[in-house]
């Protein structure tokens, strides 16, 4: 026992001794039965990892496909047995059937081709409504009028080559010095 308890005055030392011993026994019992607050057990296993639902669904789908193929094969075999093994080489699918309106489509195509040929002949036989020679003459007249109106000469066109006796210089327009007469050797200039 500890000193503090021995120093306490009690009426009956034997009763106090039993009481302290009972308290210690109860304390030891509680320590043994005590549960921890921290959960240190292994975690529960995830059920979705054990069942593998996706794999099972894929397997189920595959089994259904196999069952369907087996049923179709069995029906074909029973048909062969009922027909006494005759060869069935006719194909009823639309892919191999002959078109029912083949002649009508041919007639329609011939009619369209004939109409197109007639339209082409009419286009080729039509006289043109535009006269390019008249346009060229009008363009020359307009150029002469423009040259008379302009203060400065128009630059020469790229497609036209300057004439040798032309007033324009090699740069395509009339230079200031081209218009000034050349001086003779004896005369002096005021400039």
């Amino acid at each position: 026992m500890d000193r503090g308890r021995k120093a306490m005055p009690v009426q009956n030392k034997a009763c106090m001794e039993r009481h302290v011993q009972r308290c210690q026994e109860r304390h030891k019992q509680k320590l043994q039965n005590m549960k921890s607050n921290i959960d240190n057990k292994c975690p529960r296993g995830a059920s979705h990892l054990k069942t593998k639902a996706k794999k099972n669904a894929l397997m189920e789908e595959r089994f259904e496909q196999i069952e369907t193929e087996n049923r179709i094969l069995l029906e074909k075999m029973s048909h062969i047995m009922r027909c006494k093994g005759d060869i069935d080489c006719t194909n009823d699918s639309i892919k191999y059937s002959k078109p029912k309106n083949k002649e009508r489509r041919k007639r329609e195509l011939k009619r369209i081709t004939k109409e197109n040929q007639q339209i082409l002949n009419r286009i080729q036989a039509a006289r043109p409504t535009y006269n390019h020679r008249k346009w060229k003459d009008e363009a020359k007249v307009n150029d002469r009028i423009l040259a008379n109106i302009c203060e400065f000469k128009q630059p020469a066109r790229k497609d036209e080559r300057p004439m040798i006796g032309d007033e324009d210089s090699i740069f395509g327009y009339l230079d200031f010095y081209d218009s000034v007469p050349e001086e003779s050797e004896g005369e002096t200039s005021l400039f």
Side-chain angles (χ1 to χ4, degrees):
M1 283 196 156
D2 56 332
R3 290 184 193 161
R5 212 174 287 146
K6 283 185 181 177
M8 282 178 57
V10 289
Q11 289 183 353
N12 192 345
K13 286 185 180 182
C15 288
M16 185 62 181
E17 188 77 28
R18 270 183 297 161
H19 174 70
V20 169
Q21 199 163 5
R22 221 179 296 132
C23 286
Q24 286 180 348
E25 296 271 331
R26 213 179 306 139
H27 180 67
K28 285 181 185 177
Q29 190 66 31
K30 282 182 180 180
L31 286 175
Q32 286 178 356
N33 295 337
M34 183 173 59
K35 294 182 180 177
S36 64
N37 288 337
I38 299 171
D39 184 18
N40 57 2
K41 298 176 188 170
C42 64
R44 284 189 300 147
S47 61
H48 68 280
L49 295 176
K50 291 179 183 176
T51 56
K52 298 180 183 174
K54 178 76 174 181
K55 184 179 178 182
N56 291 341
L58 290 173
M59 291 295 290
E60 188 69 30
E61 201 173 298
R62 178 71 181 135
F63 289 145
E64 286 177 11
Q65 184 182 3
I66 290 171
E67 286 294 323
T68 306
E69 290 173 0
N70 286 344
R71 184 179 46 79
I72 291 170
L73 186 62
L74 186 62
E75 287 175 4
K76 287 181 180 178
M77 289 174 65
S78 66
H79 176 70
I80 291 170
M81 295 299 284
R82 278 186 278 122
C83 295
K84 298 180 183 174
D86 290 342
I87 297 174
D88 184 17
C89 61
T90 59
N91 195 343
D92 299 331
S93 68
I94 296 171
K95 183 178 176 183
Y96 298 106
S97 65
K98 294 180 181 177
K100 294 173 176 65
N101 58 354
K102 185 177 180 181
E103 293 299 321
R104 185 172 61 83
R105 282 194 290 152
K106 276 187 180 179
R107 284 194 308 266
E108 185 72 18
L109 184 62
K110 283 182 183 178
R111 183 186 63 79
I112 292 171
T113 307
K114 187 177 177 183
E115 286 178 4
N116 288 344
Q117 191 64 39
Q118 289 174 352
I119 292 171
L120 180 65
N121 290 339
R122 282 199 305 262
I123 290 172
Q124 289 175 343
R127 293 185 51 93
T129 56
Y130 300 117
N131 189 350
H132 65 90
R133 289 186 189 123
K134 185 178 175 185
W135 285 356
K136 200 177 258 186
D137 295 340
E138 288 175 359
K140 285 181 182 178
V141 170
N142 288 340
D143 286 344
R144 276 193 227 119
I145 293 171
L146 184 65
N148 289 336
I149 294 173
C150 289
E151 188 174 337
F152 300 106
K153 286 241 179 195
Q154 292 288 324
R157 294 186 183 159
K158 291 181 182 177
D159 57 343
E160 292 180 4
R161 295 173 64 191
M163 305 282 282
I164 293 175
D166 200 4
E167 296 175 0
D168 292 343
S169 72
I170 57 171
F171 299 111
Y173 52 88
L174 189 63
D175 277 335
F176 172 75
Y177 297 108
D178 291 341
S179 64
V180 176
E182 294 182 21
E183 300 173 2
S184 62
E185 291 179 19
E187 298 177 10
T188 57
S189 175
L190 296 176
F191 298 115

